[in-house]
Amino acid sequence: MRRNLVVGNWKMKINHQSAQDLIDGLIEGLPSEDADIAVCPPYLYIPEVSQRLANTAIELGAQNVATHQEGAYTGEIAAVMLKDFNCKYAIVGHSERRANYADTDTTVAQRFQQAIDADLIPVLAVGELLEQRENGTTFEVVAKQLNAVLEFSGIDSFKNAVIAYEPVWAIGTGLTASAEQAQEVHLFIRQLLAEKNQQIAEKIQILYGGSVKPQNAEALFAMPDIDGALVGGDSLSADSFLKIYSSFQK
Ligand code: 13P
């Protein structure tokens, strides 16, 4: 039985004060659900959020991680540094980084491997553009993104990984994939992994991301291969994020 998980990606949409207020709201309102919850602040706020989250059930993650372990990489943050501040997760391959910061399948695979090496859980984000969905190449695109990491790191590294299916056209647009559209891709991802290792495929958490809200979370989470959500905008309100977190029925 897979545990469910919701992860909040705060992106670059928060400041010192709003981060404090949000964490206070989450800690105060956190219900005792049988599911996991994590937040990914901007790097700069990780130390203070880490302190506030000590001894709570809320886990910490980062929005990215460097492609190398250490060295002359100005401006980068290494996986071991995130570990120093009790991060459990690191998002890798978010579409905003693929589109705006030249992340490629190769650099995403390197980031994934760095996370694994440091005992962080990578949250590997994959997903198609609108034109790719309209062209009917969604499965092909997702398979290519996934295979690049599988070839680089091997199936065994997925024992300690999470996958987030985030159709790019649904991110921040208010357009959510329907529960059926998302389920179809989640199942495809699980089957692709099952070709290499059935057990790992059955165990891995596959999250959906893209305009997840309290209004659509329940329908998404009712799908058999959707194990939670990677939430952007609605993770910035404690009330909305906790409503999403409370939407698991299974
Ligand atoms: P939104 O929930 O704002 O669409 O963002 C999704 C996302 O990109 C999470 O990583």
Side-chain angles (χ1 to χ4, degrees), residues 7-9 11 13 91 94-96 125 166 170-175 209-213 230-235:
V7 179
N9 176 7
K11 306 194 180 181
K13 293 186 171 182
I91 301 171
H94 193 283
S95 66
E96 286 152 15
E166 298 206 301
I171 295 177
T173 57
L175 295 172
S211 300
V212 176
K213 306 193 172 312
L230 179 55
V231 186
D234 273 50
S235 72

Side-chain angles (χ1 to χ4, degrees), residues 124-142:
L124 171 63
V126 297
E128 81 286 3
L129 304 170
L130 181 59
E131 67 184 65
Q132 293 167 330
R133 173 153 287 264
E134 286 173 350
N135 287 344
T137 54
T138 297
F139 290 157
E140 208 175 301
V141 169
V142 168

Side-chain angles (χ1 to χ4, degrees), residues 67-211:
T67 51
H68 290 78
Q69 193 178 353
E70 57 115 36
Y73 299 102
T74 303
E76 291 299 292
I77 301 287
V80 287
M81 299 173 184
L82 299 173
K83 252 333 239 195
D84 275 345
F85 287 92
N86 300 318
C87 281
K88 180 172 178 181
Y89 300 98
I91 301 171
V92 300
H94 193 283
S95 66
E96 286 152 15
R97 298 217 57 94
R98 292 180 193 257
N100 304 324
Y101 297 95
D103 238 346
T104 62
D105 283 344
T106 305
T107 57
V108 171
Q110 289 172 327
R111 296 181 201 286
F112 182 97
Q113 186 62 46
Q114 285 299 316
I116 295 286
D117 289 348
D119 204 18
L120 279 171
I121 299 176
V123 179
L124 171 63
V126 297
E128 81 286 3
L129 304 170
L130 181 59
E131 67 184 65
Q132 293 167 330
R133 173 153 287 264
E134 286 173 350
N135 287 344
T137 54
T138 297
F139 290 157
E140 208 175 301
V141 169
V142 168
K144 180 172 172 288
Q145 292 169 336
L146 214 53
N147 280 328
V149 180
L150 277 167
E151 276 160 30
F152 192 85
S153 294
I155 183 67
D156 281 353
S157 61
F158 283 75
K159 264 185 211 155
N160 291 312
V162 171
I163 294 174
Y165 168 57
E166 298 206 301
V168 180
W169 49 272
I171 295 177
T173 57
L175 295 172
T176 329
S178 67
E180 292 73 19
Q181 277 175 321
Q183 164 60 23
E184 183 182 55
V185 181
H186 282 230
L187 178 62
F188 172 77
I189 291 170
R190 209 178 293 288
Q191 284 172 341
L192 193 146
L193 295 175
E195 283 169 22
K196 308 217 177 272
N197 186 311
Q198 183 77 30
Q199 240 179 338
I200 291 174
E202 270 166 26
K203 218 182 124 238
I204 196 163
Q205 292 165 315
I206 307 180
L207 313 183
Y208 169 79
S211 300

